[in-house]
Amino acid sequence: MLLTTFTKSPVIGRVLQKPGLVEILCYSYCYVGLMTGPFYRYRTYHDWLSQIDSSVIPSWRPMLYRFRMIPIFGIFFLVVSHFFPLDYVRSNAFYERGLPFRLFYMVPIFFVFRMRFYVAWLCAECACIAAAFGAYPVTAKSRSGGGPTVQYEPLTDGEASSIAYDYETIKNIDPHGTDFCVKIKDGMRYWNMTVQWWLAQYIYKSAPFHSYIMRNAWTMLISAYWHGIHPGYYISFLTIPLCLLAEGAMESGFLKHLSPSGRLWGDWIQWFMKMRAYDYMCMGFVLLTFEDTIRYWSSIYYCIHVGAVFFFLLGTVLGIQRKWGSPKDKQGAPQNPKQQE
């Protein structure tokens, strides 16, 4: 019996019969998701083949719902990429422009990058939905990549058309969450969601380190290798652990101690910094070569690397001060009247 991540019950977490070579090849080269994803487990593929009657599973409305933003994202991609071409960053003329322009240019580049993948992944999801691939009862509480997380009763003839379904298992992108979440770590969860699930389950949890940051660095290294061998992937992905380190230090040392109104302003500032960090890292992802990436980053003085180190040190110092308290609090602070009594 082949165990997978979910082992609460045979329905949730196990393939009841170990697949042979033919089954594995069919799963690996299934036409659904072959070119653009999303990632899915063998159990998801097996459940799709075992559907009682896929024609009664709703797919038209869910597909249109996921499709509705594709034309808008596509228009944004075409318009912005026309006015802000990536090749301009590789030209000498670009580096003759002022620092504010060079800083700004990474914003539309990352915007174009997001729009391109939003269109690709939403189209891939629509292809899955059209085939009723990844459809599970809502009661299964499925999650991206992993599938059902709670036990649900196997369907019988006549029941398939009378229950509600969702396609959370093959959901690979959340554009709103990607653009408007506050934290860097949350941004990763909303992007390429099925692959992020795989990385979390099989790379992060089995990393040969105990440190949170080292586990993330290991996961980002494997993720970079997943994408290819271009140096830009590696130096971009390996910047993420540094940003996470700074984010964690500021959260524990400063942000969580703010008042509700102060936290609101803090969240907006953190969101702005998160987007600039992803803008910065995206440049390495699209420029690909070490020389082009370093040339651009050096032209804006490695601002995100420097900023991450600064905020890490600032958050650490503030955290130490809060932990130990000021000398005045320890030596001369008046005691609580009830304690004096």
Side-chain angles (χ1 to χ4, degrees):
M1 186 174 291
L2 181 64
L3 297 180
T4 58
T5 303
F6 298 107
T7 57
K8 293 182 179 179
S9 75
V11 175
I12 299 175
R14 297 181 180 179
V15 177
L16 301 181
Q17 183 176 0
K18 185 176 180 179
L21 177 60
V22 174
E23 288 81 5
I24 292 175
L25 289 175
C26 290
Y27 159 66
S28 301
Y29 293 96
C30 176
Y31 73 93
V32 178
L34 180 61
M35 300 301 296
T36 56
F39 162 80
Y40 47 83
R41 301 164 62 215
Y42 181 82
R43 179 59 194 259
T44 303
Y45 167 76
H46 179 271
D47 289 345
W48 175 59
L49 295 180
S50 303
Q51 288 173 349
I52 297 173
D53 185 0
S54 61
S55 64
V56 301
I57 298 176
S59 59
W60 181 247
R61 287 187 177 180
M63 184 181 69
L64 289 180
Y65 180 78
R66 292 302 283 169
F67 183 84
R68 72 193 191 285
M69 292 299 296
I70 291 178
I72 298 175
F73 292 147
I75 292 172
F76 283 160
F77 167 77
L78 293 173
V79 172
V80 179
S81 63
H82 174 75
F83 289 102
F84 298 95
L86 176 63
D87 286 340
Y88 185 48
V89 182
R90 298 188 175 98
S91 68
N92 292 328
F94 176 82
Y95 294 96
E96 295 174 359
R97 305 292 294 265
L99 177 61
F101 179 82
R102 297 197 302 270
L103 279 169
F104 164 76
Y105 207 85
M106 64 183 182
V107 177
I109 291 296
F110 183 45
F111 181 83
V112 169
F113 180 83
R114 297 200 310 277
M115 295 304 108
R116 176 160 59 96
F117 278 95
Y118 289 170
V119 170
W121 283 333
L122 286 173
C123 285
E125 288 183 31
C126 288
C128 291
I129 295 171
F133 190 99
Y136 285 99
V138 173
T139 55
K141 297 182 179 179
S142 300
R143 61 179 298 187
S144 298
T149 60
V150 299
Q151 185 174 357
Y152 66 97
E153 293 297 327
L155 303 180
T156 59
D157 291 334
E159 290 184 339
S161 60
S162 62
I163 63 173
Y165 291 85
D166 64 36
Y167 290 88
E168 290 297 312
T169 300
I170 51 87
K171 183 178 180 180
N172 201 41
I173 187 66
D174 184 341
H176 182 271
T178 300
D179 284 355
F180 295 104
C181 69
V182 173
K183 298 180 179 181
I184 290 176
K185 67 177 182 179
D186 292 335
M188 292 190 294
R189 293 171 182 169
Y190 293 120
W191 178 269
N192 205 1
M193 297 165 69
T194 57
V195 172
Q196 295 297 338
W197 178 88
W198 184 88
L199 288 170
Q201 296 296 319
Y202 298 107
I203 304 300
Y204 180 85
K205 290 184 178 180
S206 62
F209 308 99
H210 296 291
S211 165
Y212 167 74
I213 295 301
M214 291 303 297
R215 281 173 174 259
N216 272 285
W218 174 256
T219 304
M220 291 301 101
L221 179 64
I222 300 302
S223 182
Y225 180 72
W226 175 302
H227 285 82
I229 60 174
H230 293 290
Y233 295 151
Y234 293 85
I235 56 179
S236 293
F237 274 114
L238 292 177
T239 301
I240 291 178
L242 176 61
C243 294
L244 291 175
L245 195 65
E247 186 175 72
M250 287 298 295
E251 177 67 28
S252 60
F254 178 68
L255 292 173
K256 73 177 184 180
H257 302 287
L258 295 175
S259 65
S261 60
R263 184 62 198 240
L264 179 62
W265 283 102
D267 284 347
W268 277 108
I269 295 172
Q270 188 176 6
W271 168 82
F272 179 83
M273 297 301 296
K274 177 214 74 174
M275 293 303 294
R276 303 296 74 80
Y278 277 126
D279 293 339
Y280 181 88
M281 290 182 283
C282 175
M283 296 304 293
F285 203 91
V286 296
L287 290 172
L288 298 178
T289 68
F290 181 83
E291 293 78 11
D292 287 341
T293 303
I294 294 301
R295 185 185 187 190
Y296 177 76
W297 282 356
S298 64
S299 77
I300 56 174
Y301 303 103
Y302 301 97
C303 57
I304 296 300
H305 285 99
V306 173
V309 172
F310 170 77
F311 283 116
F312 167 69
L313 295 176
L314 177 62
T316 301
V317 170
L318 292 174
I320 293 174
Q321 288 181 341
R322 290 185 180 278
K323 180 179 179 180
W324 295 105
S326 65
K328 181 178 179 180
D329 292 337
K330 289 186 175 182
Q331 298 175 5
Q335 295 181 354
N336 189 304
K338 292 184 179 180
Q339 293 177 343
Q340 291 179 348
E341 295 176 359

